[in-house]
Amino acid sequence: MTKTTISQVHKYVDQEVTIGAWIANKRSSGKIAFLQLRDGTGFIQGVVVKAEVPEEVFQGAKSVTQESSVYVTGKIQKDERSPFGFEMLVTGLEVIHQAVDYPITPKEHGTEFLMDNRHLWLRSRRQHAVMKIRNEIIRATYEFFNEQGFSKIDPPILTGSAPEGTSELFATKYFDEDAYLSQSGQLYMEAAAMALGKVFSFGPTFRAEKSKTRRHLIEFWMIEPEMAFYEFEDNLKVQEEYVAHIVQSVLKNCSIELKTLGRDTEKLEKVTAPFPRITYDEAIKFLQEKGFDDIQWGDDFGAPHETAIAESYDKPVFITHYPTSLKPFYMQPDPSREDVVLCADLIAPEGYGEIIGGSERIHDYELLKQRLDEHKLDMDAYKWYLELRQYGSVPHSGFGLGLERTVAWISGVEHVRETIPFPRLLNRLYP
Ligand code: 4AD
Ligand code: MG
């Protein structure tokens, strides 16, 4: 018998095949049983008709439990009603392992219960769809940067530096030295850009932030491109083209998953380059006019502020030129105005908040040294980073896109905990 997967059944219409699968759900009466089968590649309904199969096959279908593993054999038929387009008329069923009392039943469960059972929750239709979209975003990321001539570079995870501020670090011992888990690969990516021109990284980053919001993870994955000879404007252009590319790729390649999640795809279709921009100054004025009375120039934006700004646009929006005092030491000041930096945050629509932080980097040795001093950072740890400004320093820029916030936005799921296989949250390290 030909063994195949659910995603390949379209090649076997009117033929008999065998699929290794799990029983996602089941309904049966005296004469017929409907098996909702899943194999990781997709979902298909298996129909078992008592009158057409040996008695033990029908009894097997009647007694098989949710999440049992099976080899199921049958004829593939077109089925207009199925979201997948096909069903299987079952002729044989071999139970590999009978599951007992699978904890996640088709009824509603609370979030904490589901999170405790994350290792099983991943099997559900919704979680499967979110993971497929995450996978598509990763695939489209490599596609985009490879096509644009970037090289993938892997910065270290164990580091001696703190690019995004010293208060959110996971410290660990590195034999006799102090080390930290990486908050961002950026500083190393700057060194790599001086060697390879255009580079990008994709890896885990860690923030010991005591935040318990729907946008914060302790461990999250970031895509960090860095480009030599790219100035502020060039940087924004890469970002809008990249984000538009991943959104359009998900629309094209994940239509079943978007449908499973009930995502409004009309909103995603509008996400094409260029993206609108406003300056920090304009954003402050806008918020004050909207009635956010307590916000003043120099304050950082919270989630309600970002949401209010994003609501005015149907695409992601860049907020540019933040006050120098709000941003990390490495950002290039605006040459026409020292109190703001050449940076931009990209705010996603529909309340998903900041998905990208980026900037032009300081390339002047003296200025960078002064900034490290002002931020009271350890010169020894940054010696190598300063040296990049001593040997053929050039203007350069880059950014970091948070994968989970991007997955949440594109999938339309409320909370980032559903966008990473095993979320690390405040008070959660299990499973
Ligand atoms: O704005 P951030 O802190 O920027 C940097 O780390 C820069 N060094 C990046 C660079 O220029 N190479 O983080 C970048 C993005 C944010 O916009 C957000 O999407 C995501 O990373 N992010 C988080 N995602 C989930 N949980 C958290 N705790 C996050 N913190 C940041
Ligand atoms: Mg940021």
Side-chain angles (χ1 to χ4, degrees), residues 142 152-156 188-189 200-202:
Y142 279 84
K152 166 91 193 314
I153 285 284
D154 305 311
Y188 297 98
M189 297 308 287
F200 74 106
S201 68
F202 173 51

Side-chain angles (χ1 to χ4, degrees), residues 26-47:
K26 194 190 76 174
R27 265 185 312 124
S28 63
S29 68
K31 290 185 181 145
I32 194 160
F34 297 99
L35 306 176
Q36 304 307 325
L37 301 164
R38 60 167 197 88
D39 74 344
T41 73
F43 293 81
I44 193 171
Q45 173 163 275
V47 183

Side-chain angles (χ1 to χ4, degrees), residues 164 183-184 186 207 209 215-217 220 222 224 226 330 354-358 361 398-402 405:
E164 301 302 314
Q183 289 177 311
S184 159
Q186 180 196 319
R207 306 267 167 111
E209 262 179 282
R215 301 169 174 185
H216 284 89
L217 290 161
F220 66 98
M222 198 163 21
E224 294 189 273
E226 194 71 30
Y330 53 72
E354 178 200 324
I355 52 169
I356 290 183
R361 322 304 191 187
F399 63 93
L401 173 132
R405 289 191 193 173

Side-chain angles (χ1 to χ4, degrees), residues 13 21 59 93 134 197 301:
V13 176
Q59 285 313 319
L93 183 73
R134 178 183 171 105
F301 299 131

Side-chain angles (χ1 to χ4, degrees), residues 10 15 72 86 112 126 138 144 167 198 201 211 219 222 224 238 240 259 282 286 297 315 319 342 372 400 411 423:
H10 61 274
Q15 295 178 48
V72 55
F86 302 92
E112 280 309 298
R126 256 180 74 83
I138 296 167
F144 179 84
S167 61
K198 296 199 285 184
S201 68
S211 302
E219 176 179 307
M222 198 163 21
E224 294 189 273
V238 179
E240 59 200 8
K259 204 164 166 190
E282 289 163 348
F286 168 86
W297 201 94
K315 293 184 190 190
I319 306 179
L342 296 179
L372 284 165
S411 308

Side-chain angles (χ1 to χ4, degrees), residues 275-381:
F275 294 166
R277 309 165 177 199
I278 62 168
T279 64
Y280 173 88
D281 291 0
E282 289 163 348
I284 289 286
K285 226 195 254 150
F286 168 86
L287 290 170
Q288 287 169 343
E289 283 164 14
K290 272 244 156 181
F292 290 91
D293 297 325
D294 49 348
I295 194 146
Q296 282 171 20
W297 201 94
D299 293 344
D300 210 352
F301 299 131
H305 303 123
E306 286 178 356
T307 303
I309 295 164
E311 271 170 1
S312 309
Y313 307 93
D314 52 16
K315 293 184 190 190
V317 53
F318 287 114
I319 306 179
T320 69
H321 301 86
Y322 281 72
T324 312
S325 58
L326 288 179
K327 290 292 179 186
F329 70 94
Y330 53 72
M331 291 192 179
Q332 174 69 42
D334 184 338
S336 67
R337 239 186 101 181
E338 294 281 302
D339 61 339
V340 297
V341 280
L342 296 179
C343 74
D345 283 355
L346 185 67
I347 313 298
E350 302 171 68
Y352 286 93
E354 178 200 324
I355 52 169
I356 290 183
S359 75
E360 187 172 327
R361 322 304 191 187
I362 294 174
H363 66 281
D364 179 75
Y365 177 85
E366 290 303 331
L367 179 57
L368 184 60
K369 199 156 173 272
Q370 183 194 320
R371 280 282 191 280
L372 284 165
D373 263 336
E374 286 166 8
H375 284 257
K376 300 197 170 47
L377 290 163
D378 174 12
M379 282 298 169
D380 287 343

